[in-house]
Amino acid sequence: MLVNNRPKCLRSFFQEMTHIRVVEETFLDLFAQGVIGGTVHTCLGQEAVAVGLISALNLDLDIICSNHRGHGHFLAYCGDTSSLVAEILGQPSGVCGGIGGSQHLQMKNFYSNGILGGMAPVAVGMAFAEKLKGSGAVVVQFMGDGAMAEGAVYEAMNMAALWKLPIMFAVENNQYAQSTHWNAQHSGMLEQRSESFGVPMVDIDGNDVEEVYHTTQHLINEIRTQCTPRLMFMRTYRIGPHSKGDDLRDPKEIDLHQQQEPLSRLRKKLDPSWVTSIEKQIRQEVALLVANLRKE
Amino acid sequence: MASYLSGLQSGLKEALTANRKVIVLGEDIVDPYGGAFKVTKGLSTCFPERVISTPICEGGFTGVAVGMALRGFRPVIEIMFGDFLTLCSDQIVNHMAKFPDMYNNQVKVPLVIRTPMGGGRGYGATHSQSLEKMFLGIPGIKVVAPSHLHATNDILKYAILNDDDPVLFIENKLLYPLEQHVHVFMEQSVEISGYPTVALRNFSTGKPDVTIIAYGGLSLEIVPLLAKLHDDELNVNAVFPSSLWPVPVETLTRYGAQCGRIVLCEESSAGFNWGSEIAALLYENLHGKLAAPIARLASASQAIPAARQLEIKTLISAQDIENAVWELMS
Ligand SMILES: Cc1ncc(C[n+]2csc(CCOP(=O)(O)OP(=O)(O)O)c2C)c(N)n1
Ligand SMILES: [Mg+2]
């Protein structure tokens, strides 16, 4: 059973987002200790996108195509922390037996890949398949601002609109692609591109989990009933490094965004003593889970 | 008797009839046009919902087919000219080929990519190549290329309906109009399920003097060459695997061992090609049993010219193969 029966209140959003944050901070620690290798792209600061969007889906039906920064998407989809951590630790009980690793996760209707933009046409094909089956499923395809420089994305948008397919392009504009600011690699406005293909766009604050949740609900309903694509453009910021290591951005810039990051914003709306106790509880749960898996 | 083309046409039609999960996608494939080489002619009239013309975005619609295959369909796509496979290579290598393995065999990608390769029609450098060598050896995919000694209907139908692995299906432009060549001195062996190797010899009894191993469009040159060499009283066995990757290595070794004189021929440009791998495998398996070094023939390593007289000089020819055969006998 997937997680779509969870309550959709501020407390549960906070709980899930904190859970993602703690799991990913743990990954960064494990990387620093040399316990895990390869690379880990964390979504610190972007948890509202994962939780708000995915909470609004019908998870028994809908399909998610994720990217290199997909741990948050995965956890919001299935909540199966143990199979994610095992995957990153390279263990057989991992969601892909350790073969996939951080960027290549697959479970039920969740698929991620590490080729920027490459999943956009694949997601369109999935939407085509579901339309032909008449299943009513919607496909959500996550991509970053950087991936929007890939040609495959525009081939995908064209076909999605031409064939009237049930797909939502979900753009996480965290302003950076690795070390490059979006305006150093894009000409024109990213958010305006999809409409020239006939894919309507909604531009929202991706750090506001409630806004992400309600907008997704609305768009998914439109996509499902009209069987036409949409693009949701979410403004956010990555407060952690691109992957495990160095971050060359101005620390002042990052500090400024710390105040806007989704968890601290949500925290202000909740009872402080509940927040303290739930944060403590999540940290303990994750630490225990990781410790147990590392014994294997 | 079916032609190479009509076998492909009927194979597609029978596959669409047999399984509602079969979908055909490609550029300009619907009627009345029916595809640049007419392989899909008539299909959209019979199956309007499942035969779909795409925009001109080979990488994009290859990805679409991958997504459909992941969600339970058995798509077939047509890439108008094999040269355009370069545009699909990311979807082929990093998506189609990877998903089953890297997702720990939790998914399947039953997808057939059909495309015509080869020169001889004056199309010039970007519409005449034999680029299949770029895709040989990639884990997780098969590369199949029937000659006109094969039943194209059976092989294509098998790839679409029965093979759960992704298949790159290479056709040859010059073979399309040819009737399937059948002969009493022909035998078939199936080492790779669904993809037979056909051997044609020009003698009734005894052993071959030389074994030619080739694939795809070169059957057009080699069948008449066998008759000519018969008149010259040379026993030759010509072996055409339809599976390039994986390699039917035991079958090729068995034929190669019959005389120890082997000519490997292919139309792709010389250097790092199919014959390089086949030669290496045969040297390993036939060490000490070869009467002469293996001869390897391919087309010249240059852009294929458009002008007839220049193109002919660039591509591998029957004369090249005949020369190599006599060289081995000398
Ligand atoms: C095709 C391709 N090119 C380059 C990379 C290397 N790479 C991984 S993530 C990344 C930046 C991506 O930026 P964006 O799409 O904005 O996503 P973000 O990392 O910000 O979440 C790059 C260049 C890749 N994985 N795939
Ligand atoms: Mg980015």
Side-chain angles (χ1 to χ4, degrees):
Chain A
M1 192 62 206
L2 296 168
V3 280
N4 45 335
N5 289 331
R6 292 166 308 188
K8 273 106 192 181
C9 58
L10 285 190
R11 281 191 175 195
S12 75
F13 288 151
F14 183 81
Q15 227 164 313
E16 283 184 51
M17 287 161 59
T18 305
H19 182 81
I20 293 169
R21 176 74 57 92
V22 172
V23 169
E24 290 206 304
E25 284 172 351
T26 309
F27 287 154
L28 290 175
D29 286 346
L30 291 173
F31 195 92
Q33 293 166 37
V35 176
I36 55 179
T39 188
V40 275
H41 304 97
T42 56
C43 68
L44 312 184
Q46 300 176 219
E47 295 89 346
V49 168
V51 171
L53 193 158
I54 292 170
S55 298
L57 303 180
N58 176 345
L59 295 183
D60 292 324
L61 194 58
D62 296 335
I63 297 168
I64 294 171
C65 286
S66 172
N67 59 1
H68 61 291
R69 203 175 295 290
H71 307 146
H73 307 151
F74 180 84
L75 291 174
Y77 174 69
C78 66
D80 190 346
T81 312
S82 161
S83 67
L84 175 68
V85 175
E87 184 66 27
I88 307 295
L89 289 171
Q91 295 178 349
S93 66
V95 62
C96 291
I99 299 169
S102 168
Q103 307 189 76
H104 315 112
L105 306 171
Q106 197 280 323
M107 178 196 268
K108 295 186 178 130
N109 288 353
F110 186 99
Y111 309 80
S112 72
N113 201 3
I115 301 292
L116 296 176
M119 284 305 261
V122 175
V124 169
M126 291 178 170
F128 206 156
E130 298 308 313
K131 181 177 179 178
L132 287 168
K133 289 183 208 167
S135 71
V138 172
V139 181
V140 174
Q141 194 261 323
F142 283 101
M143 63 182 144
D145 47 292
M148 286 195 82
E150 292 284 359
V153 168
Y154 303 96
E155 297 185 11
M157 281 182 192
N158 181 44
M159 289 183 285
L162 177 73
W163 291 327
K164 300 192 168 46
L165 300 178
I167 180 169
M168 181 165 93
F169 297 101
V171 177
E172 294 183 73
N173 179 12
N174 63 8
Q175 303 194 24
Y176 284 88
Q178 205 146 334
S179 68
T180 307
H181 193 258
W182 77 268
N183 68 17
Q185 69 162 330
H186 288 288
S187 170
M189 304 306 284
L190 287 179
E191 61 273 31
Q192 288 171 0
R193 292 181 184 175
S194 74
E195 294 198 322
S196 64
F197 292 97
V199 179
M201 184 276 308
V202 176
D203 184 354
I204 64 168
D205 178 353
N207 283 356
D208 179 341
V209 67
E210 291 175 282
E211 187 173 347
V212 175
Y213 175 70
H214 291 299
T215 312
T216 307
Q217 267 194 324
H218 175 75
L219 289 179
I220 292 288
N221 184 47
E222 279 185 357
I223 296 169
R224 223 188 288 285
T225 52
Q226 297 169 22
C227 204
T228 48
R230 297 286 184 278
L231 185 140
M232 186 158 78
F233 192 82
M234 294 166 282
R235 293 174 190 270
T236 180
Y237 190 82
R238 154 167 73 65
I239 55 171
H242 163 70
S243 57
K244 65 280 171 175
D246 41 316
D247 193 338
L248 301 172
R249 293 172 301 180
D250 182 351
K252 276 190 233 127
E253 177 188 310
I254 302 174
D255 280 350
L256 211 64
H257 282 281
Q258 287 283 4
Q259 293 153 34
Q260 292 305 313
E261 71 93 8
L263 272 171
S264 46
R265 275 166 63 173
L266 201 48
R267 208 177 272 122
K268 286 179 200 140
K269 298 186 184 174
L270 293 163
D271 170 18
S273 65
W274 180 82
V275 166
T276 313
S277 79
I278 200 73
E279 282 179 337
K280 191 172 161 206
Q281 184 192 324
I282 290 170
R283 282 190 193 282
Q284 283 170 348
E285 282 167 5
V286 172
L288 185 66
L289 183 145
V290 173
N292 282 336
L293 280 171
R294 285 187 64 187
K295 282 189 211 132
E296 278 176 19
Chain B
M1 189 86 255
S3 71
Y4 193 85
L5 175 64
S6 72
L8 296 169
Q9 288 168 330
S10 60
L12 277 170
K13 187 164 182 183
E14 289 164 27
L16 280 155
T17 307
N19 189 337
R20 291 196 52 77
K21 295 290 182 194
V22 176
I23 306 271
V24 183
L25 298 164
E27 292 160 11
D28 298 293
I29 65 168
V30 303
D31 293 334
Y33 189 67
F37 292 93
K38 309 304 164 204
V39 181
T40 58
K41 187 110 186 133
L43 289 184
S44 69
T45 305
C46 298
F47 307 95
E49 271 105 62
R50 289 191 284 141
V51 179
I52 299 155
S53 273
T54 62
I56 303 160
C57 53
E58 293 77 10
F61 73 76
T62 303
V64 166
V66 172
M68 289 180 139
L70 282 171
R71 299 301 302 176
F73 284 84
R74 304 187 76 88
V76 182
I77 60 172
E78 172 171 301
I79 303 299
M80 189 185 277
F81 281 79
D83 311 68
F84 313 155
L85 276 184
T86 51
L87 290 122
C88 315
S89 56
D90 176 51
Q91 284 299 332
I92 293 175
V93 176
N94 287 322
H95 295 79
M96 177 179 96
K98 289 295 179 293
F99 288 137
D101 265 10
M102 92 183 176
Y103 291 160
N104 204 16
N105 289 311
Q106 290 154 196
V107 303
K108 289 195 176 100
V109 186
L111 160 57
V112 177
I113 303 179
R114 296 181 30 250
T115 193
M117 294 280 191
R121 291 186 52 158
Y123 286 134
T126 63
H127 291 63
S128 307
Q129 300 167 90
S130 297
L131 289 184
E132 56 274 12
K133 72 174 182 177
M134 295 178 71
F135 299 93
L136 299 179
I138 292 170
I141 68 171
K142 289 180 179 142
V143 183
V144 171
S147 71
H148 81 298
L149 280 64
H150 291 96
T152 50
N153 174 298
D154 295 347
I155 298 180
L156 181 58
K157 241 177 8 192
Y158 181 90
I160 300 170
L161 295 173
N162 303 107
D163 203 327
D164 283 342
D165 293 332
V167 177
L168 184 53
F169 191 96
I170 308 298
E171 299 166 6
N172 182 275
K173 297 178 195 109
L174 295 185
L175 293 184
Y176 282 134
L178 266 60
E179 294 291 304
Q180 186 190 349
H181 184 80
V182 284
H183 195 278
V184 279
F185 294 165
M186 216 163 95
E187 63 182 30
Q188 183 162 303
S189 34
V190 185
E191 185 177 334
I192 315 291
S193 272
Y195 308 110
T197 296
V198 176
L200 171 69
R201 58 182 198 279
N202 68 355
F203 54 97
S204 55
T205 53
K207 288 199 335 173
D209 299 306
V210 175
T211 300
I212 295 173
I213 305 179
Y215 71 84
L218 282 184
S219 58
L220 179 66
E221 308 287 342
I222 292 170
V223 170
L225 177 62
L226 249 55
K228 185 170 182 220
L229 292 170
H230 172 76
D231 296 342
D232 296 333
E233 298 185 350
L234 196 68
N235 286 358
V236 182
N237 203 358
V239 182
F240 298 94
S242 61
S243 177
L244 307 188
W245 169 249
V247 178
V249 61
E250 282 173 25
T251 308
L252 301 187
T253 303
R254 182 160 47 81
Y255 283 115
Q258 287 175 354
C259 60
R261 286 189 205 89
I262 303 168
V263 184
L264 300 175
C265 323
E266 68 199 281
E267 194 183 316
S268 74
S269 61
F272 288 90
N273 50 24
W274 173 74
S276 318
E277 177 72 10
I278 304 299
L281 291 169
L282 292 177
Y283 275 122
E284 281 166 23
N285 291 349
L286 296 174
H287 184 69
K289 295 182 193 147
L290 292 171
I294 296 170
R296 288 200 287 132
L297 305 181
S299 299
S301 179
Q302 66 173 80
I304 299 169
R308 226 331 160 245
Q309 71 281 11
L310 299 176
E311 182 181 28
I312 285 169
K313 278 195 232 157
T314 307
L315 298 176
I316 181 174
S317 67
Q319 189 62 56
D320 296 335
I321 303 171
E322 187 180 353
N323 293 347
V325 166
W326 288 116
E327 181 95 358
L328 275 185
M329 291 306 298
S330 64

